[in-house]
Amino acid sequence: MICLKGNKALTLVVLGIFCLSSCGSILPVIPPALISDSTPHDTDDPAIWINKDHPERSIVFGTDKDEINGGVYAFDLDGKIIKDKSLTGLSYPNNVDIGYNFKLNDSLSTDIMVFTEREKHQIRLFSVPDMKQLDNGGLKVFEDESDSTMQRPMGIALYRNDFSDKTYAIVSRKEGPVNGYLYQYLLESDSLGVRAKLVRKFGEFSGKKEIEAIAVDQELGYIYYADENHCIRKYYANPENGDKELACFGGQHFKRDIEGIAIARFDDKSGYIIVSNQQAHNFSIFDRTTNNFIKQINLGTKETDGCEVTTAVLGNQFPNGLFVSMTDSKTFVFHDLGSLNLSAD
């Protein structure tokens, strides 16, 4: 049995070649719809902006890590870079997320993209799709830490409370304490721009490696994050519901690092939590409502950090929704969600 890696596995999957999972079982590679254009440095994390008026014109944003000329690149649904919507000259952009209907003032709202700029100890915020800067050059995070090594943000996810109309950014970092590893900021806008107000510090850490990936289940109101060598942790997204940990699950289903987390959400509240099993080069699938393990799938990607998913129909190209994942060839891999067959066999 030959186990191919990286783009070779993606290219030859049509020949029916298989790879081994970390458990020793044989997982067939699920072929992608396409592979994106390459970025210059080191891809990490994708986010999907859904164009509600023209879904076929939706945009995938993906980070490209470099300390001097990092970028957040915009891709169309053919995987081609959209130059006029891409941002470059950034200092190690790490993770990215999309939010909808962010209030700029009493009468104006916009969709937003946020990402962490690690080496400047800040998060950035731009409107989408016009890519206007809303943050006056950056919003500093972890400012109360005296140790600069604990001020370097990595993961980020947005939570919008539909009842209060408030939008929050949840941020993780390269290094942090065993308690209060994540900070949650309320994003507030006025005539001077957007401010980030710290509203809570929360989140347990095993101390084994680091916490990067964060995902928010908007409808059910939960935050999930990857304590990389330990488990997937679950908390309430609304800070008013308290800081009690709700679950720590799934660690036994990963070879080592628990990486990118994506939540496939359906209208009946069913769905799946898809998590990168980085060193095994596959993904572990969990039930959205019970958090029970379902199975692993192999998409042919290698050393995957970030991933993202939408169940929305994105035109003829992705009629069942879209799953995007990073691979180590400086590209992002696009799958029609229906091809993943996420349910139990």
Side-chain angles (χ1 to χ4, degrees), residues 18 54 57 66 98 103 124 130 152 178 188 193 280 336:
F18 295 85
H54 301 282
R57 300 179 194 170
D66 185 73
I98 295 292
K103 289 187 66 175
R124 304 299 312 275
D130 52 4
R152 301 165 69 204
V178 294
E188 299 177 307
D336 182 85

Side-chain angles (χ1 to χ4, degrees), residues 327-342:
T327 190
D328 71 348
S329 60
K330 304 178 183 179
T331 58
F332 293 95
V333 180
F334 292 37
H335 281 80
D336 182 85
L337 183 59
S339 71
L340 270 56
N341 187 24
L342 297 173

Side-chain angles (χ1 to χ4, degrees), residues 250-317:
Q252 69 271 31
H253 300 291
F254 294 84
K255 184 175 182 179
R256 196 180 78 200
D257 290 358
I258 305 168
E259 283 286 351
I261 305 173
I263 304 173
R265 304 182 289 266
F266 297 97
D267 290 341
D268 62 357
K269 297 186 178 181
S270 67
Y272 305 94
I273 302 172
I274 309 169
V275 188
S276 171
N277 188 358
Q278 190 175 51
Q279 285 75 34
H281 314 305
N282 61 37
F283 294 83
S284 296
I285 313 301
F286 300 86
D287 184 271
R288 178 192 179 194
T289 55
T290 66
N291 299 153
N292 291 335
F293 175 75
I294 298 176
K295 64 180 180 182
Q296 291 176 325
I297 59 173
N298 184 358
L299 304 185
T301 59
K302 183 181 177 183
E303 293 287 336
T304 298
D305 281 306
C307 56
E308 187 56 286
V309 67
T310 179
T311 57
V313 176
L314 302 184
N316 294 328
Q317 291 157 295

Side-chain angles (χ1 to χ4, degrees), residues 189-207:
S189 179
D190 59 23
S191 60
L192 299 178
V194 178
R195 302 183 308 277
K197 177 183 177 182
L198 179 63
V199 294
R200 70 165 168 168
K201 308 172 187 180
F202 74 101
E204 298 293 315
F205 173 47
S206 66

Side-chain angles (χ1 to χ4, degrees), residues 70-74 82-83 85-90 113 115 126 131:
V72 179
Y73 286 87
I82 309 170
K83 291 184 179 180
K85 297 190 183 302
S86 298
L87 307 173
T88 56
L90 304 171
M113 177 185 71
F115 60 91
F126 289 77
M131 307 309 295

